[in-house]
Amino acid sequence: MEVRPLSELYTNIKPGYYGEFGGAHVPPALNKNLSRLEEAFFKFKDDKEFQDEFIHYLKKYVGRPSPLYFAANLSKEVGSKLYLKREDLNHTGAHKINNTIGQVLLAKRMGATEIIAETGAGQHGVAAATAAALFGIKCKIFMGAVDIERQAANVSRMKLLNADVIPATSGTKTLADAVNEALGYFIKNPDSFYMLGSQVGPHPYPNLVGYFQSVIGQEARNQIFEAEGRLPDSIFACVGGGSNAIGLFQGFLADENVKIYGAEGGGEGEIPKTAATLSMGKIGVFQGTYSYCLMDEDGNPTTSYSIAAGLDYPGISPQHAYLKDTKRVSYQSILDQDAINAYVTLSRKEGIIPAIESAHAVAMAMKVMKDKNGLAIINLSGRGDKDVERRLENFIYNKFI
Ligand SMILES: *Cc1c(COP(=O)(O)O)cnc(C)c1O
């Protein structure tokens, strides 16, 4: 099978827009920084030397290609052939490193003196600090003061990697406040490089993050051909901001017969106890992009909730908004308890403890593929050690088993 160049996967005609969604809805003070970033991204993304360096680090440092593993036991239980795309086996344990390696290479070429990033649960903070350490660039991670308390292990990792962890003390002292404070710093320090962790925010970030993650879908497409000699019937991924999902989906968007499914964090099922932005949100501008967003009755963005910290975000990638409205992808919300069920099932059937985020995709596949005798790929976006650490088992044993 031919490997398609990364650059051919982009179908948005007007840069930064996916249908009516996307754009850069930011205060004028940010325009200059974003234009510089856009210019650098379009200059380097097809540059042979840049691509060679990116591929080198993906192979030798991240450990790519990640295996496409046939989950025989789970398949038997479900009644369809299920393959797992093992992003959990990447260095640092999730897909996020694909993006931070891509962005740090861009930062280096732009002459950035410092990497800044925001983080909620700390997963992106660790991936950003890892990439900064690798290239010897200073790193500041903005994190809500409340999250710093809740995510002590990841804070220790970031500090060990030599990042400064800056507490955000405004608002609810969580992710959205960390984003605001990081943006404030970015405006004042134009030589810093803002490393965004998901497919969200203003243009060019959704484009750039989608590009660096597209390696997932390219590999998976080749690997399923190698294993089965054909395309899958369906593919599944969990959707927080949307980066691991778009990474997988891009390999198959043009294959009309492949059904594509996105699993949102359903939480407990209702606003504000949900993170199902596409299923329950409304259209508006949130953190720089025109997309779906969870809102209250007055149209103000609300907080979100999911048992999976990585899915707990009230906004969503504009490309996923477009894929929803054009009906190319079917998005459904998966409740906490169904995700926990899948987390336990995969651990026990395959000896693979998935991130609780990824377990949402497993849960959706178990439902959709039940007794279909079909062929599917599930993106296993990350490993679940972090969830074991926070004693999810109490919740499991007390309530569900
Ligand atoms: C951060 C994270 C997610 C959610 O982010 P996306 O940008 O939607 O991919 C999913 N899975 C894992 C393991 C994560 O760390």
Side-chain angles (χ1 to χ4, degrees):
M1 248 210 56
E2 224 180 292
V3 180
R4 292 178 295 179
L6 290 169
S7 52
E8 278 182 20
L9 296 169
Y10 284 85
T11 48
N12 54 335
I13 309 297
K14 190 172 159 199
Y17 281 87
Y18 306 87
E20 64 176 314
F21 300 105
H25 303 265
V26 295
L30 261 179
N31 278 334
K32 215 169 85 203
N33 301 29
L34 293 176
S35 306
R36 274 188 65 219
L37 178 62
E38 182 187 21
E39 197 183 308
F41 173 59
F42 284 112
K43 177 170 166 201
F44 289 114
K45 78 185 178 72
D46 298 323
D47 176 67
K48 171 97 174 55
E49 202 183 300
F50 182 89
Q51 291 224 347
D52 286 350
E53 198 180 356
F54 183 44
I55 290 167
H56 167 80
Y57 283 102
L58 289 182
K59 280 189 179 161
K60 304 292 180 188
Y61 186 73
V62 175
R64 307 202 69 92
S66 65
L68 185 72
Y69 172 70
F70 175 54
N73 304 328
L74 184 69
S75 295
K76 202 164 158 214
E77 161 113 352
V78 172
S80 282
K81 278 184 130 173
L82 304 177
Y83 280 79
L84 306 176
K85 181 60 174 158
R86 299 289 309 273
E87 294 299 297
D88 60 315
L89 294 178
N90 293 340
H91 177 47
T92 69
H95 67 290
K96 287 193 168 78
I97 191 84
N98 305 325
N99 172 48
T100 60
I101 293 289
Q103 289 198 42
V104 79
L105 293 177
L106 208 51
K108 208 177 69 165
R109 280 167 176 74
M110 291 173 73
T113 52
E114 186 176 40
I115 300 287
I116 56 174
E118 81 299 330
T119 196
Q123 298 300 107
H124 172 57
V126 170
T130 300
L134 177 62
F135 288 94
I137 303 180
K138 271 198 314 191
C139 182
K140 275 198 173 61
I141 306 289
F142 292 82
M143 189 169 184
V146 169
D147 291 333
I148 289 179
E149 295 280 317
R150 286 193 294 208
Q151 309 289 343
N154 277 339
V155 173
S156 300
R157 286 185 186 105
M158 287 180 251
K159 287 184 173 165
L160 184 59
L161 293 161
N162 210 18
D164 277 338
V165 180
I166 317 269
T169 52
S170 57
T172 56
K173 305 182 175 59
T174 56
L175 178 60
D177 312 298
V179 172
N180 288 335
E181 297 197 15
L183 284 175
Y185 185 90
F186 187 38
I187 289 170
K188 285 196 217 110
N189 297 274
D191 289 336
S192 61
F193 183 99
Y194 192 144
M195 191 175 267
L196 198 56
S198 187
Q199 208 203 8
V200 295
H203 178 67
Y205 284 104
N207 200 329
L208 180 157
V209 174
Y211 179 78
F212 292 135
Q213 292 292 2
S214 65
V215 63
I216 302 172
Q218 286 192 58
E219 284 178 8
R221 197 171 194 282
N222 291 336
Q223 288 167 320
I224 196 76
F225 264 103
E226 218 166 86
E228 295 283 337
R230 71 171 180 100
L231 286 168
D233 305 312
S234 305
I235 61 173
F236 297 86
C238 68
V239 182
S243 72
N244 86 88
I246 208 67
L248 178 69
F249 295 174
Q250 284 174 106
F252 301 90
L253 280 177
D255 302 308
E256 280 167 24
N257 294 331
V258 177
K259 293 200 182 99
I260 306 183
Y261 295 91
E264 296 198 281
E268 292 170 10
E270 277 175 53
I271 294 176
K273 288 292 234 179
T274 182
T277 310
L278 289 169
S279 309
M280 307 187 76
K282 297 189 190 118
I283 296 171
V285 169
F286 179 65
Q287 292 193 330
T289 190
Y290 185 69
S291 184
Y292 282 81
C293 176
L294 289 173
M295 294 178 192
D296 63 20
E297 282 160 10
D298 302 328
N300 299 313
T302 65
T303 53
S304 55
Y305 166 80
S306 164
I307 192 169
L311 305 184
D312 194 353
Y313 182 66
I316 180 75
S317 139
Q319 191 173 7
H320 284 291
Y322 174 74
L323 293 170
K324 171 195 157 79
D325 277 16
T326 53
K327 300 195 163 59
R328 176 65 187 95
V329 178
S330 163
Y331 298 89
Q332 292 174 24
S333 83
I334 299 294
L335 297 177
D336 284 352
Q337 65 210 57
D338 294 328
I340 289 171
N341 241 347
Y343 172 82
V344 176
T345 303
L346 190 66
S347 300
R348 294 186 174 178
K349 289 277 169 201
E350 298 290 345
I352 297 171
I353 302 174
I356 190 68
E357 289 82 4
S358 322
H360 286 69
V362 177
M364 192 172 179
M366 286 171 67
K367 208 160 66 177
V368 173
M369 300 308 291
K370 185 78 191 151
D371 298 327
K372 290 273 159 55
N373 200 19
L375 176 64
I377 296 174
I378 306 168
N379 205 20
L380 215 68
S381 55
R383 67 179 179 223
D385 307 44
K386 65 185 179 58
D387 302 308
V388 177
E389 276 167 19
R390 65 193 178 100
R391 305 193 68 74
L392 204 58
E393 76 261 33
N394 286 341
F395 198 55
I396 294 166
Y397 294 120
N398 294 341
K399 291 201 179 164
F400 294 106
I401 292 182

